[in-house]
């Protein structure tokens, strides 16, 4: 009897060693009697509780039958005994997934990990490097009834150095179409006192109103409508700060107007320095008293320092691409930061790059604008990595918003006045090089940054610019100059803020957007 038992122990040890795939995919429990040896107390052998495939069970079954000889009970009665072969047949049909280190049985209603959970884990980063997590190692696996659905869940592959679109509940916000929606706009010029003259197209005499009625509809999901009350709850007691050029002022004014839609007493929203919004003033902080929060804007055309240097006999403007904007001290301590820069990098001085870009005491005689833009972004990224605490601050970077000048540039007869409907096709516009540089720099940062990718969806909206309606009627201006870069409010920047609101509802802080 003892020798038989020892033989069985060595047998199953050999089976496990010779079948490593079975060892990895199979969990054994020593509980159920399988057969009797000589009428003595039943001896239990390992019963199968889980297999990754039927072939593993079949292989083990044949191995046991080939190398094991069984003794009949001394009393000759075998009516109450089960053969190993029969027991394996029973256990083959009882598939149960058990995670190593957990109890042998999962609760019957243990939920499968959602796709959102797995993608969030796959996007976790440590010290600036991408780490793709194995969802099976991290998450509680489902019961046997849900195994089939788990097999379909796969962690996304690494980005391989390219920015990835962050997908929430299977939704890619950048792919979709504009849908005409009579329930828009979310506010009106009359209900919002914060729209400056340059963006108030309706007040300035624009009569067609269809440009206010378009809603962005992603292809694979229902995009949630902006909820001002929820947004104010998200930033209660916090600082929401926009930093960048006048296009970011466009988005900031839009956010103020969208939030005002739920404020019961307009007197409880005020600019902390008593300033009225104009193009001339660059820094604003609006206090929402009931929510103890501020919504702020700080002008910074390039995010780096605009300076002067002596070139020949004169002091000329330069751009210190190695030094952060001197106003950066105001950005510190914010709870949500929304950055942008792109618009001013297309001006003549920046594109020419002649005696303009400065590093230290050196002014480059000539420097390519793409190289200068990358250096400036790396200066901003280094500042963020040094001064931003990711445990407190969510960082966003909005990429470039397209202009729609036809027949020339802004100062040479370019126009968009006749456009009253979105474009049907934007395939010829492509992805600007500045966007690719922004993506590359973000991927190298330690600080998690969410990229607000608005270029593609905004490219359709040639109808959304002020054109000639950036000034009040009767104001003297050149008929050759139209504004096809900024945006009417209400209008396209409201959608950018809906996307920002969508991301803020997620606790995920990621370099992927």
């Amino acid at each position: 009897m003892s020798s038989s038992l020892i033989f069985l122990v060595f047998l199953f040890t050999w089976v496990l060693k010779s079948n490593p795939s079975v060892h990895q995919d199979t969990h054994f429990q020593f509980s159920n009697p399988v057969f009797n040896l000589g009428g003595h107390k039943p001896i239990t052998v390992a019963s199968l509780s889980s297999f990754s495939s039927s072939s593993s069970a079949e292989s083990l079954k044949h191995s046991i039958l080939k190398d094991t000889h069984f003794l009949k009970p001394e009393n000759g009665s075998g009516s109450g005994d089960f053969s190993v072969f029969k027991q394996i047949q029973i256990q083959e049909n009882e598939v149960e997934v058990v995670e190593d280190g957990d109890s042998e049985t999962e609760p019957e209603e243990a939920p499968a990990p959602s796709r959102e959970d797995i993608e969030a884990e796959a996007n976790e980063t440590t010290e600036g490097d991408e780490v793709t997590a194995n969802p099976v190692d991290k998450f509680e696996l489902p019961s046997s009834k849900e195994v089939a659905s788990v097999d379909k869940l796969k962690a996304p592959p690494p980005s391989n150095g390219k920015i990835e679109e962050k997908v929430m509940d299977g939704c890619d916000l950048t792919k979709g179409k504009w849908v005409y929606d009579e329930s828009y706009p979310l506010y009106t010029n009359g209900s919002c006192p914060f729209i400056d003259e340059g963006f108030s197209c309706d007040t300035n005499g624009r009569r067609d109103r269809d440009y206010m009625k378009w809603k962005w509809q992603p292809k694979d999901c229902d995009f949630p409508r902006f909820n001002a009350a929820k947004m104010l709850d998200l930033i209660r007691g916090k600082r929401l700060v926009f930093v960048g050029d006048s296009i970011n002022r466009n988005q900031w004014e839009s956010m103020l107007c969208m939030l005002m839609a739920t404020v019961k007493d307009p007197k409880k929203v005020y600019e902390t320095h008593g300033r009225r919004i104009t193009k001339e003033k660059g820094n604003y902080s609006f206090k929402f008293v009931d929510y103890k929060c501020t919504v702020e804007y700080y002008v910074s055309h390039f995010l780096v320092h605009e300076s002067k240097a002596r070139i020949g006999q004169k002091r000329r403007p330069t751009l210190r691409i190695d030094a952060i904007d001197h106003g950066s001290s105001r950005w510190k301590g914010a709870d949500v930061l929304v950055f942008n820069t792109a618009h001013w990098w297309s001006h003549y001085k920046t594109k020419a790059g002649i005696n303009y870009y400065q590093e230290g005491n050196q002014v480059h005689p000539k420097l390519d604008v793409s190289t200068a833009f990358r250096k400036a972004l790396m200066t901003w990224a280094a500042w963020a990595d040094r001064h931003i605490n990711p445990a407190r601050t969510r960082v966003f970077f909005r990429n470039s918003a397209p202009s729609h000048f036809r027949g020339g540039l802004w100062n040479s007869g370019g126009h968009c006045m006749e456009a009253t409907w979105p474009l049907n096709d934007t395939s010829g516009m492509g992805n600007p090089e500045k966007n690719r540089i922004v993506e590359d720099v973000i991927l190298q940062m330690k600080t998690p940054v969410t990229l607000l990718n608005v270029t593609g969806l905004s490219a359709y909206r040639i109808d959304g610019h002020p054109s000639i309606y950036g000034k009040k009627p009767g104001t003297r201006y050149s008929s050759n100059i139209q504004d096809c870069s900024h945006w009417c409010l209400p209008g396209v920047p409201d959608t950018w803020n809906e996307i920002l609101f969508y991301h803020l509802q997620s606790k995920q802080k990621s370099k992927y957007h």
Side-chain angles (χ1 to χ4, degrees):
M1 173 63 188
S2 298
S3 61
S4 299
L5 178 59
I6 292 171
F7 170 75
L8 286 173
V9 170
F10 277 98
L11 169 65
F12 284 101
T13 301
W14 175 83
V15 169
L16 290 176
K17 289 183 177 180
S18 62
N19 293 274
S21 61
V22 174
H23 173 70
Q24 293 174 1
D25 295 322
T26 309
H27 297 269
F28 298 96
Q29 56 185 13
F30 293 85
S31 56
N32 299 327
V34 179
F35 54 85
N36 288 348
L37 294 178
H40 295 281
K41 184 177 180 179
I43 302 298
T44 59
V45 298
S47 60
L48 296 175
S49 64
S50 174
F51 275 101
S52 61
S53 66
S54 59
S55 62
S56 299
E58 194 71 15
S59 174
L60 180 60
K61 176 174 67 179
H62 289 306
S63 175
I64 293 173
L65 292 176
K66 179 178 178 180
D67 298 322
T68 307
H69 302 278
F70 300 101
L71 299 177
K72 293 183 179 180
E74 290 181 355
N75 58 11
S77 174
S79 59
D81 300 326
F82 293 90
S83 69
V84 172
F85 177 76
K86 187 173 183 180
Q87 180 69 5
I88 291 176
Q89 282 184 315
I90 295 172
Q91 293 292 339
E92 277 185 317
N93 297 322
E94 298 179 3
V95 181
E96 179 184 26
V97 176
V98 181
E99 192 172 5
D100 290 341
D102 290 347
S103 60
E104 292 182 347
T105 57
E106 291 284 315
E108 290 185 3
E109 298 183 1
S114 68
R115 179 176 178 179
E116 180 180 353
D117 290 337
I118 290 179
E119 287 171 343
E121 281 297 318
N123 284 336
E124 278 192 1
T125 57
T126 304
E127 295 298 314
D129 297 327
E130 184 178 32
V131 178
T132 303
N134 182 348
V136 177
D137 295 336
K138 188 80 173 181
F139 294 93
E140 183 179 15
L141 292 180
S143 64
S144 58
K145 298 178 182 180
E146 299 169 311
V147 170
S149 63
V150 174
D151 289 339
K152 298 178 181 179
L153 298 175
K154 303 293 184 182
S159 65
N160 295 324
K162 296 181 180 179
I163 214 82
E164 293 177 357
E165 300 298 339
K166 182 178 177 185
V167 180
M168 295 182 180
D169 297 325
C171 180
D172 181 351
L173 300 182
T174 66
K175 294 180 173 59
K177 61 183 179 180
W178 289 95
V179 178
Y180 195 85
D181 190 332
E182 284 287 357
S183 68
Y184 278 71
L186 301 173
Y187 58 91
T188 64
N189 294 72
S191 67
C192 182
F194 304 131
I195 305 174
D196 76 55
E197 179 185 339
F199 309 144
S200 188
C201 303
D202 184 56
T203 303
N204 294 340
R206 183 168 178 173
R207 292 291 168 256
D208 67 293
R209 300 177 61 84
D210 288 338
Y211 69 94
M212 302 182 185
K213 298 288 187 179
W214 295 96
K215 172 187 176 181
W216 178 248
Q217 178 62 61
K219 180 180 179 181
D220 299 319
C221 69
D222 291 325
F223 191 45
R225 188 182 180 91
F226 184 84
N227 187 310
K230 285 186 178 180
M231 182 65 185
L232 283 167
D233 279 335
L234 285 172
I235 62 173
R236 185 185 294 272
K238 295 179 170 60
R239 294 176 60 206
L240 169 57
V241 175
F242 292 80
V243 179
D245 56 30
S246 55
I247 309 294
N248 237 23
R249 179 165 56 86
N250 221 169
Q251 184 177 355
W252 167 74
E253 290 183 22
S254 163
M255 177 61 77
L256 286 176
C257 291
M258 293 167 79
L259 294 177
M260 284 297 292
T262 196
V263 173
K264 296 180 180 179
D265 185 357
K267 294 181 180 179
K268 290 188 176 183
V269 179
Y270 61 88
E271 208 285 318
T272 56
H273 300 96
R275 295 172 178 167
R276 184 175 65 87
I277 300 175
T278 68
K279 293 182 179 180
E280 287 72 33
K281 299 292 182 180
N283 302 318
Y284 300 94
S285 176
F286 275 83
K287 180 82 171 180
F288 286 73
V289 175
D290 290 341
Y291 295 88
K292 297 181 174 62
C293 66
T294 55
V295 182
E296 308 168 35
Y297 167 71
Y298 299 101
V299 63
S300 182
H301 302 129
F302 302 99
L303 302 181
V304 290
H305 180 50
E306 296 180 66
S307 183
K308 287 187 177 182
R310 184 170 295 280
I311 303 174
Q313 299 298 316
K314 296 183 179 180
R315 287 179 60 82
R316 299 183 182 276
T318 60
L319 190 62
R320 283 287 305 275
I321 54 179
D322 62 339
I324 197 69
D325 190 311
H326 285 184
S328 60
S329 59
R330 295 167 175 160
W331 316 341
K332 295 179 183 178
D335 299 275
V336 181
L337 276 166
V338 183
F339 291 98
N340 96 298
T341 183
H343 188 52
W344 283 54
W345 291 90
S346 61
H347 289 188
Y348 173 76
K349 283 190 300 185
T350 51
K351 290 179 70 175
I354 299 173
N355 292 325
Y356 181 61
Y357 296 116
Q358 181 180 356
E359 293 184 87
N361 294 324
Q362 178 190 6
V363 177
H364 294 278
K366 183 171 178 59
L367 187 66
D368 177 72
V369 64
S370 296
T371 302
F373 183 75
R374 183 181 294 274
K375 286 176 175 286
L377 260 291
M378 292 176 68
T379 298
W380 164 80
W383 175 89
D385 285 342
R386 181 176 180 182
H387 294 285
I388 288 177
N389 177 8
R392 172 179 178 175
T393 304
R394 292 287 302 272
V395 182
F396 296 85
F397 197 104
R398 179 181 54 74
N399 63 5
S400 61
S403 298
H404 289 91
F405 291 100
R406 288 179 171 177
L409 301 178
W410 68 274
N411 58 354
S412 60
H415 59 90
C416 56
M417 180 181 65
E418 66 279 1
T420 59
W421 210 255
L423 297 173
N424 291 323
D425 181 35
T426 62
S427 57
M429 300 188 73
N431 187 35
E433 183 184 17
K434 287 192 287 290
N435 282 2
R436 297 193 294 271
I437 293 173
V438 168
E439 294 168 1
D440 290 344
V441 171
I442 287 177
L443 280 174
Q444 298 174 41
M445 295 174 66
K446 294 180 181 179
T447 304
V449 177
T450 301
L451 183 64
L452 298 178
N453 189 353
V454 305
T455 305
L457 63 93
S458 304
Y460 292 95
R461 296 303 308 277
I462 188 174
D463 61 314
H465 298 290
S467 62
I468 64 171
Y469 302 107
K471 293 181 180 292
K472 292 180 179 178
T475 303
R476 300 180 67 181
Y477 61 88
S478 171
S479 59
N480 291 328
I481 296 180
Q482 296 188 21
D483 185 352
C484 303
S485 296
H486 298 91
W487 304 87
C488 296
L489 294 180
V492 174
D494 303 335
T495 297
W496 304 347
N497 282 323
E498 287 187 293
I499 294 173
L500 175 63
F501 170 65
Y502 187 76
H503 282 291
L504 282 174
Q505 292 181 90
S506 168
K507 294 181 179 180
Q508 173 75 7
K509 298 179 181 180
S510 176
K511 294 179 185 180
Y512 309 104
H513 55 102

